[in-house]
């Protein structure tokens, strides 16, 4: 029995907090406060001895963690019990000063109070509260009918009962359940399950996971990612949805848990050298192979027969909790997650996410101090950048099988409570304009217009607030650049899908520069990186994000690169004038240099009136004219070509675009013989591109073929468009856009048929 063991708990120090860890390995039952009255009474006994703990962990092959709020409820009960035991006069009823006739009632009254205090108070405090309430009601009835010489003694007894009742009534535990006590039976433990809900983790995992679903939660979505089960709940009394994750490591048998624990202990003796982390893919593969062989050997020794699939699953989990990032990797595998936030101090709040369908959600995952510190060490090694008190900010990236993310880390002294993380998950495949059209971020005409500018070597700036989609939109623009051109990207954190672009046949070269937030180091400064790119030959230049001094070099590139290849970048700004203000007034770009920008695309989140949902929209496509001197806003230096209408939820063309009053488009037309002085021809080309993108989206839905929206198909479509335009111009002597579209549509139908045949072959 638990209470027969001596000092079966220890107090662990985790930062400023004391954690009570109770060893329940020898118990013949599960260490559940909510299910077992003996576990509750034992725990309260321990809390009487050590009332200053912040939380409780039971160790029994798994870790059962009861958080601060749940622990404080029990500490209140423990303190009341400890105080009452010391008040011997209450237990013995000596304070009543009983009359001779009342003495006959003493044994009964003492038995009643001792039953409540010594038994129910520790095992079932809610039951003790109900018993006291019933007893007071009964004794008051007797008080009203008792003899005069018994009245004072009876009243004293009722007052003691009321004193005990009021002590319990003021506790958090009773306050939490008071409204739900109607019909509750003393001894029924179901009510405790609404209060005590431990986070359960296997021994080899530090980060905790709330395994039980929320009380009164309403399922909004259920789906799987790999072997992980995900349920999104609408929570009662909470405006945020709950993203409830059950990963494969929480669905294993006890034998497999023990196998993983043994294997992890063996592998922990081999600590990879720092240089090994610089090749993460190779390190993962090595650890996977070693772990797989080790698990096979351990399983054989224990007589546990494992299939190849089971070995793969266990080895993958083992890698995740040795050289990997634990449950964080499981979250990143979900393509519906856009952002992940880990706040400090660790262990006191769950991980938060932004879900593409349900917006801001909290998760059932509570990261531990051990894990957050381990992640920081790995990111420091992987990035080659410092993370310490002198450099409390680290911007880097994370690449694991099946996911990529940008990572921002902040630690002390900037973050006074420890280490916090923000992860921006990148899409596995590059975004495309048809994907954005399908998501209604922009419409086909806007897609056609952007394709036209990108295909004709303009200088573009993608602006917007955080999480507005500007970087993804920039990435989709790369696909509109013909693959015969060289592309150079300059980023301080690698967000663009370089590997994907290379596999798609692009001639692309990535350059990584020093972050604007990093002091010193061996990396090249961003402005020098941009200038270096200009010495690498005729190339399209893509700047991941304009943050600091590289802005001067970027506009230098725009000025010398105008009318040649695309120059594009992103910046945090919510309007065209905001882009100007940030670049000219904050970052020191000369006004004359700013005029080198041709087009500004602004995307921003649009919130619903209730604030509970939001959608991403391109809200402006604006050209920068060159005639103004001092203020582009006052001197009409910004001319909108398309502008978002919140009533129609549509990006609509302005009269300037419809009537051909665009200096940028006229400048492009002046370099193409078929378009010079012919607005109808150039407008027809824009509409042709729009029609093609619209058709891709429509046919994708009609034939249930989402592959048509992805980069591979879109690139093939763009290649065909260029070939068909040249073919029609050569044969007919002029470009007939309608004829081009019909030829392209014939190609698309053949491509759809091929896609369908490939699917059937795969099945």
């Amino acid at each position: 029995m638990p209470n027969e063991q001596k000092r079966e708990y220890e107090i662990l120090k985790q930062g400023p907090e004391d954690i009570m860890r109770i060893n329940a390995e020898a118990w013949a039952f599960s260490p559940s406060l909510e299910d077992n009255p003996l576990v509750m009474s034992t725990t309260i006994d321990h809390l009487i001895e050590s009332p200053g703990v912040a939380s409780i962990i039971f160790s029994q092959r798994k870790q059962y963690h009861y958080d601060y709020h749940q622990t404080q409820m029990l500490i209140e009960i423990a303190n009341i019990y400890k105080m009452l035991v010391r008040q011997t006069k209450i237990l013995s009823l000596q304070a009543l000063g009983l009359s001779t006739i009342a003495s006959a009632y003493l044994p009964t009254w003492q038995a009643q109070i001792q039953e409540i205090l010594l038994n129910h108070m520790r095992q079932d405090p809610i039951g003790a509260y109900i018993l006291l309430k019933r007893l007071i009601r009964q004794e008051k009835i007797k008080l009203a009918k008792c003899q005069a010489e018994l009245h004072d003694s009876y009243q004293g007894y009722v007052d003691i009962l009321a004193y005990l009742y009021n002590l319990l009534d003021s506790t958090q535990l009773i306050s939490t359940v008071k409204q739900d006590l109607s019909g509750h039976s003393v001894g029924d433990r179901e009510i405790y399950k609404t209060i005590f809900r431990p986070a359960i983790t296997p021994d080899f995992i530090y980060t905790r996971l709330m395994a039980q679903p929320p009380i009164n939660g309403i399922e909004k979505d259920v789906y799987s990612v790999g072997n992980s089960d995900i349920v999104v709940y609408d929570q009662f009394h909470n405006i945020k949805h709950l993203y409830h994750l059950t990963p494969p490591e929480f669905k294993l048998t006890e034998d497999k848990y023990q196998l993983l624990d043994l294997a992890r202990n063996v592998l922990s003796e081999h600590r990879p050298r720092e240089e090994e982390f610089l090749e993460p893919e190779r390190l993962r593969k090595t650890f996977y192979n070693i772990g797989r062989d080790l698990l096979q050997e351990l399983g054989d020794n224990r007589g546990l027969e494992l299939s190849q699939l089971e070995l793969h699953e266990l080895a993958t989990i083992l890698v995740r909790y040795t050289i990997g990032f634990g449950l964080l990797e499981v979250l990143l595998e979900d393509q519906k997650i856009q952002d992940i936030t880990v706040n400090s101090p660790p262990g006191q709040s769950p991980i938060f996410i932004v879900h593409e369908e349900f917006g801001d959600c909290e998760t059932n995952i509570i990261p531990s101090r051990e894990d957050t510190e381990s992640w920081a060490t790995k990111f420091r090694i992987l990035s080659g950048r410092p993370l310490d008190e002198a450099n409390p900010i680290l911007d880097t990236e994370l690449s694991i099988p099946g996911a990529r993310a940008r990572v921002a880390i902040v630690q002390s002294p900037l973050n006074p409570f420890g280490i916090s993380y923000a992860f921006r998950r990148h899409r596995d495949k590059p975004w495309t304009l048809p994907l954005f059209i399908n998501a209604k971020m922009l419409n086909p005409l806007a897609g056609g217009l952007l394709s036209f500018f990108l295909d004709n070597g303009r200088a573009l700036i993608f602006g917007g607030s955080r999480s507005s989609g500007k970087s993804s939109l920039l990435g989709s623009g790369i696909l509109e650049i013909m693959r015969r051109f060289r592309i150079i990207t300059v980023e301080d954190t690698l967000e663009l899908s370089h590997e994907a672009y290379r596999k798609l046949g692009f001639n692309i070269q990535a350059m990584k520069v020093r972050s604007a937030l990093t002091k010193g180091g061996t990396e090249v400064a961003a402005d020098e990186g941009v200038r270096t790119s200009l010495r690498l030959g005729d190339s399209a230049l893509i700047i991941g994000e304009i943050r600091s001094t590289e802005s001067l070099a970027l506009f230098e590139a725009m000025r010398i690169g105008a009318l040649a290849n695309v120059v594009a970048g992103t910046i945090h700004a919510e309007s065209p004038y905001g882009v100007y203000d940030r670049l000219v007034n904050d970052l020191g770009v000369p006004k004359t240099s700013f005029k080198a920008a041709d087009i500004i695309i602004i995307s921003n989140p649009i919130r619903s009136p209730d604030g509970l949902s939001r959608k991403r929209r391109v809200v402006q496509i604006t050209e920068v004219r060159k005639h103004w001197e001092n203020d582009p806003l006052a001197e009409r230096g910004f001319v909108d070509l398309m502008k978002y209408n919140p009533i129609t939820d549509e990006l609509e063309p302005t009269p300037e675009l419809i009537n051909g009053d665009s200096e940028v488009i006229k400048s492009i037309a002046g370099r193409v013989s078929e378009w010079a002085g012919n607005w109808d021809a150039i407008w027809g080309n824009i509409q042709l591109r729009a029609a093609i993108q619209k058709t891709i989206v429509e046919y994708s839905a009609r034939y249930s073929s989402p592959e048509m929206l992805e980069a591979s198909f879109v690139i093939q479509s763009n290649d065909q468009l260029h070939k068909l335009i040249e073919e029609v111009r050569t044969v007919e002597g002029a470009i007939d856009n309608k004829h081009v579209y019909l030829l392209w549509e014939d190609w698309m139908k053949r491509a759809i048929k091929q896609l369908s045949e490939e699917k059937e072959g795969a099945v």
Side-chain angles (χ1 to χ4, degrees):
M1 302 292 282
N3 54 3
E4 293 174 355
Q5 300 177 21
K6 293 182 179 180
R7 199 66 175 178
E8 62 185 8
Y9 69 89
E10 59 181 335
I11 304 300
L12 307 175
K13 198 77 175 176
Q14 290 191 4
E17 296 182 344
D18 289 337
I19 310 297
M20 177 180 286
R21 182 179 180 275
I22 300 174
N23 182 5
E25 294 294 347
W27 295 6
F29 43 81
S30 176
S32 170
L33 287 171
E34 56 273 25
D35 290 322
N36 197 314
L38 191 55
V39 174
M40 182 170 283
S41 65
T42 301
T43 304
I44 288 177
D45 286 343
H46 294 334
L47 291 174
I48 290 171
E49 298 174 4
S50 303
V53 299
S55 59
I56 302 167
I57 297 175
F58 292 96
S59 178
Q60 191 190 74
R61 294 180 295 279
K62 298 180 184 178
Q63 304 288 326
Y64 300 78
H65 191 286
Y66 292 88
D67 64 21
Y68 176 84
H69 179 65
Q70 298 171 84
T71 302
Q72 291 308 302
M73 289 186 180
L74 291 184
I75 288 175
E76 272 192 307
I77 302 298
N79 289 337
I80 290 173
Y81 179 80
K82 183 178 181 180
M83 177 190 70
L84 292 175
V85 168
R86 289 177 176 176
Q87 295 179 1
T88 55
K89 288 185 177 181
I90 291 179
L91 288 174
S92 63
L93 303 182
Q94 294 173 4
L96 292 180
L98 297 176
S99 63
T100 303
I101 190 171
S103 297
Y105 294 89
L106 182 60
T108 300
W109 291 348
Q110 285 180 331
Q112 289 174 336
I113 285 184
Q114 290 183 7
E115 171 70 15
I116 291 172
L117 287 185
L118 299 181
N119 294 329
H120 290 284
M121 181 74 80
R122 293 178 304 136
Q123 295 186 0
D124 183 11
I126 295 174
Y129 176 77
I130 292 174
L131 287 174
L132 282 168
K133 187 174 184 179
R134 291 175 184 171
L135 197 54
I136 290 170
R137 185 167 58 245
Q138 293 169 6
E139 295 303 320
K140 281 184 176 180
I141 294 172
K142 294 178 182 178
L143 175 63
K145 298 178 180 180
C146 73
Q147 303 172 28
E149 57 268 32
L150 280 174
H151 186 275
D152 290 344
S153 297
Y154 242 116
Q155 183 63 58
Y157 177 54
V158 171
D159 289 344
I160 288 176
L161 294 176
Y163 169 69
L164 299 176
Y165 175 84
N166 289 331
L167 284 176
L168 286 176
D169 188 62
S170 64
T171 63
Q172 288 179 289
L173 178 64
I174 299 303
S175 298
T176 302
V177 300
K178 192 181 293 184
Q179 294 180 345
D180 302 317
L181 292 180
S182 177
H184 174 71
S185 300
V186 175
D188 186 357
R189 304 294 295 184
E190 284 300 314
I191 196 165
Y192 287 107
K193 294 179 181 179
T194 66
I195 307 167
F196 297 103
R197 302 164 64 79
I200 305 173
T201 59
D203 282 341
F204 60 87
I205 299 175
Y206 295 115
T207 288
R208 308 196 308 273
L209 185 142
M210 302 297 294
Q212 297 177 340
I215 300 296
N216 299 323
I218 300 173
E219 290 186 3
K220 303 297 290 185
D221 194 12
V222 179
Y223 61 97
S224 297
V225 175
N227 292 329
S228 298
D229 299 326
I230 295 148
V231 184
V232 180
Y233 290 97
D234 192 356
Q235 299 185 92
F236 191 61
H237 292 323
N238 194 330
I239 202 166
K240 291 190 295 292
H241 288 93
L242 174 67
Y243 179 96
H244 190 277
L245 172 71
T246 305
E249 46 264 52
F250 283 77
K251 297 183 287 186
L252 301 176
T253 63
E254 290 296 327
D255 287 339
K256 291 180 180 178
Y257 278 134
Q258 293 177 17
L259 207 61
L260 275 174
D261 200 25
L262 286 170
R264 188 175 184 274
N265 290 333
V266 173
L267 284 183
S268 64
E269 297 177 5
H270 172 66
R271 295 184 178 276
R273 299 184 303 275
E274 287 198 10
E275 56 267 26
E276 290 184 88
F277 277 102
L278 299 179
E279 297 184 83
E281 288 186 20
R282 181 177 178 182
L283 182 61
R284 276 180 173 269
K285 189 171 183 179
T286 299
F287 260 70
Y288 173 85
N289 291 333
I290 293 172
R292 195 173 184 278
D293 293 342
L294 177 60
L295 288 163
Q296 179 76 73
E297 182 180 344
L298 291 171
D300 291 343
N301 291 339
R302 288 173 159 257
L304 185 62
E305 188 173 339
L306 298 171
S307 68
Q308 295 302 308
L309 186 61
E310 288 174 317
L311 274 173
H312 169 72
E313 182 181 58
L314 292 176
T316 302
I317 294 171
L318 188 59
V319 169
R320 210 155 45 220
Y321 292 98
T322 49
I323 60 168
F325 293 85
L327 286 175
L328 193 61
E329 294 190 8
V330 182
L331 283 177
L332 287 169
E333 288 175 5
D334 187 353
Q335 296 186 27
K336 294 185 178 182
I337 289 180
Q338 298 170 342
D339 291 275
I340 301 172
T341 304
V342 181
N343 295 327
S344 62
Q348 296 190 16
S349 60
I351 292 176
F352 296 90
I353 66 163
V354 176
H355 194 278
E356 70 174 22
E357 295 178 24
F358 300 100
D360 296 291
C361 304
E362 66 180 7
T363 72
N364 61 327
I365 303 170
I366 304 172
S368 68
R369 184 185 187 88
E370 292 89 345
D371 278 339
T372 54
E373 290 179 351
S374 171
W375 299 342
T377 300
K378 291 170 184 174
F379 282 126
R380 177 181 59 77
I381 296 170
L382 285 169
S383 67
R385 294 173 175 174
L387 180 64
D388 48 38
E389 288 191 1
N391 301 274
I393 305 169
L394 174 60
D395 275 341
T396 185
E397 59 277 339
L398 172 63
S399 180
I400 59 174
R404 295 170 48 252
R406 185 180 73 189
V407 188
I409 311 172
V410 181
Q411 72 157 46
S412 63
L414 183 58
N415 181 350
F417 301 108
I419 302 176
S420 61
Y421 297 83
F423 298 85
R424 166 64 58 81
R425 190 190 188 283
H426 301 314
R427 195 171 184 273
D428 298 340
K429 300 175 183 177
W431 278 91
T432 67
L433 290 176
L435 277 169
F436 280 121
I437 293 169
N438 189 58
K440 302 188 185 304
M441 183 168 170
L442 45 77
N443 56 23
L445 179 58
L449 188 61
L450 289 180
S451 174
F452 177 80
F453 289 137
L454 288 158
D455 199 18
N456 284 280
R458 293 295 93 185
L460 298 93
I461 299 176
F462 293 83
S465 62
R466 190 179 184 278
S467 300
S468 62
K470 57 185 181 298
S471 296
S472 299
L473 194 58
L474 171 66
S476 71
I478 291 177
L479 301 178
E480 301 302 312
I481 301 171
M482 279 196 284
R483 285 185 285 181
R484 65 192 182 100
F485 294 122
R486 191 185 192 203
I487 301 171
I488 294 177
T489 67
V490 180
E491 299 177 275
D492 60 5
T493 300
L494 299 179
E495 296 188 64
L496 296 170
S497 305
H498 298 91
E499 186 63 28
Y501 292 126
R502 276 192 289 272
K503 289 180 179 178
L504 290 166
F506 280 91
N507 179 6
I508 189 167
Q509 174 62 55
M511 297 179 65
K512 186 181 180 189
V513 296
R514 184 167 65 238
S515 169
L517 301 173
T518 301
K519 300 176 183 177
T522 58
E523 293 173 308
V524 174
D527 56 340
E528 185 58 33
V530 173
R531 291 191 177 94
T532 300
S533 71
L534 302 180
R535 296 192 288 270
L536 296 180
D538 184 21
S539 308
L541 178 60
I542 307 296
I543 309 296
E545 184 170 340
I546 306 167
R547 299 178 190 261
S548 185
T549 54
E550 75 275 10
S551 57
L552 296 170
L554 172 63
F555 278 85
E556 178 184 326
M558 285 183 174
R559 294 181 75 177
I560 66 174
L563 309 181
N565 278 320
V566 173
V567 180
T570 71
I571 192 169
H572 284 284
E574 297 188 3
S575 67
Y577 187 81
V579 172
Y580 167 82
D581 188 44
R582 175 98 173 95
L583 288 166
V584 175
N585 297 327
D586 294 345
L587 300 179
V589 173
K591 294 178 181 179
T592 52
S593 295
F594 178 79
K595 294 179 184 179
D598 293 314
I599 300 295
I600 296 174
I601 302 97
I602 300 294
S603 54
N604 281 317
I606 305 296
R607 292 188 176 273
S608 61
D610 56 17
L612 295 177
S613 61
R614 63 180 180 178
K615 50 194 177 184
R616 294 175 178 176
R617 295 291 186 267
V618 172
V619 295
Q620 280 177 278
I621 300 178
T622 304
E623 77 172 26
V624 181
R625 295 197 169 175
K626 318 304 178 187
H627 65 272
W628 56 276
E629 296 294 333
N630 296 309
D631 187 337
L633 196 61
E635 300 173 54
R636 206 170 181 268
F638 295 132
V639 175
D640 289 330
L641 301 181
M642 297 191 76
K643 194 162 185 178
Y644 177 73
N645 184 338
I647 297 174
T648 61
D649 189 27
E650 193 79 22
L651 193 60
E652 298 177 349
T654 62
E656 285 80 2
L657 177 60
I658 294 172
N659 297 326
D661 183 16
S662 166
E663 292 183 359
V664 173
I665 294 178
K666 289 176 182 177
S667 173
I668 293 171
R671 295 188 293 125
V672 180
S673 58
E674 286 85 351
W675 293 344
N678 187 348
W679 170 249
D680 289 340
I682 198 167
W683 180 242
N685 185 269
I686 293 170
Q687 289 187 311
L688 170 62
R689 295 168 186 266
I692 285 174
Q693 294 188 32
K694 180 182 179 182
T695 303
I696 289 174
V697 174
E698 290 177 346
Y699 272 64
S700 170
R702 183 184 304 174
Y703 292 99
S704 299
S705 182
E707 300 89 348
M708 293 179 62
L709 305 177
E710 298 294 346
S712 179
F713 188 89
V714 170
I715 290 171
Q716 293 180 52
S717 169
N718 290 342
D719 288 350
Q720 285 299 316
L721 173 63
H722 288 102
K723 291 177 180 178
L724 292 172
I725 287 175
E726 179 62 22
E727 179 183 317
V728 170
R729 189 185 67 81
T730 301
V731 173
E732 300 182 12
I735 301 173
D736 183 340
N737 291 311
K738 291 183 179 179
H739 189 192
V740 171
Y741 175 80
L742 291 174
L743 292 173
W744 173 87
E745 190 175 26
D746 286 340
W747 166 83
M748 187 192 65
K749 290 176 180 178
R750 294 193 302 273
I752 292 173
K753 183 179 179 181
Q754 183 178 348
L755 277 175
S756 178
E757 291 173 351
E758 289 174 356
K759 281 184 183 180
E760 291 177 2
V763 172

